Amino acid sequence: MYGGPRSGLAAVSTALLAMSRRLEVRDVLRTIVASARELLDAEYAALGVPDDHGGFAQFVVDGITEEQWRRIGPLPRQHGILAAMLHQDGPERLADVREDPRFEGWPPGHPDMSDFLGVPVRDGEETLGALFLANKQGARGFTDEDEDLLGLLAQHAAIALTNARLYERSRELTIAEERSRLAHELHDAVSQKLFSLRLTAQAASALVDRDPARAKGELQEVAALAAEAADELRAAVTELRPAALDEDGLVATLRNHVRVLDRAHTARVTFTCDGVRALPATQEEALLRVAQEALHNALRHSGADLVEVTLARRGTGAALRVADDGKGFVPSAVRRAGRHLGLVSMRDRASGVGGRLTVHSEPGTGTTIEMEVPGG
């Protein structure tokens, strides 16, 4: 099955090291599931982390396409075999899960599964999740050896998951402190801008009747101050990692963002994803931020009728492409004019995660912004 004891040990060692190196809970879950499915040669693998309301806070699968997952619908509830694994200490091995009296059927769109092997992931008395495999490849069901190996993986998964949770709690404290600092800075900076804006608006109002020319100049100053305040607000807000990334991942977060923009703007905004898997958290955040900045520019400045967002797999990494059919620009002229359209921050975000960013634009031909990250 594993190509001999030496190659089998190497494969297990690689999987355990991969688990221990992940610091984000979602990355740990995905690594556990992918490692279990590969090592035990199963068609499907999944790991569910229960919540306190009879459902699952997180449910990660491997072997199911994104389209299949979308057709299956909402996350499962804690019932049937899943509930049994969450409330028992040992493994559950079935020749055909469909014949077990606890089996309650598949939801529409769910792939058919037969042989089944599952174990609880436990930290002492606490059940952290349920890890299970289905449809052993090239053999008649799972073996005693498979059961032992999955039990070993579950033990190390509990350690890796506990460590990741501790790391995230520590990071949450750091984020809370950083948010407090940003709130103070934001209050000081934007408050000053708004105070100046209010005074300037009052002056313009007083000048409207007796000196329209000066009033016009004051109103232009109002517009400039408002733009600066908006830029400072946006700059501060974009420093905070969006919660949706932790909950839903990059693909779902970006798809939802595009869907909202498509409804809010007259331009058509589309999203296409091709085979992208989970990436390191820092890379996912950088891709999302660049996509948001590029979309902001396209929808506010380009006059585009169509903006297309594409996310595609590139080896172990991914490539983002945001293309519009707007008026375009000369990148060098934008730099000389001191208006970067966020290009500097986008390049910084790309290089900060080991990626690269390219910008293609000419007047009358639209703009394409591409970013690649290496994965992990």
Side-chain angles (χ1 to χ4, degrees), residues 275-297:
V276 175
R277 292 196 170 192
L279 299 165
T282 54
Q283 294 183 22
E284 291 201 346
E285 182 175 353
L287 285 166
L288 178 62
R289 295 305 192 190
V290 167
Q292 289 174 326
E293 186 68 44
L295 284 164
H296 173 83
N297 289 339

Side-chain angles (χ1 to χ4, degrees), residues 10 14 17-18 28 32 70 94 100 131 142 152 159 170 206 217 221 233 244 311 349 353:
T14 299
L17 284 173
V28 170
I32 294 168
R70 193 160 48 244
L94 302 170
D100 189 276
L131 173 64
F142 293 100
L152 176 65
I159 297 171
S170 172
E221 180 67 15
L233 177 62
L311 192 63
R349 287 191 182 279
V353 295

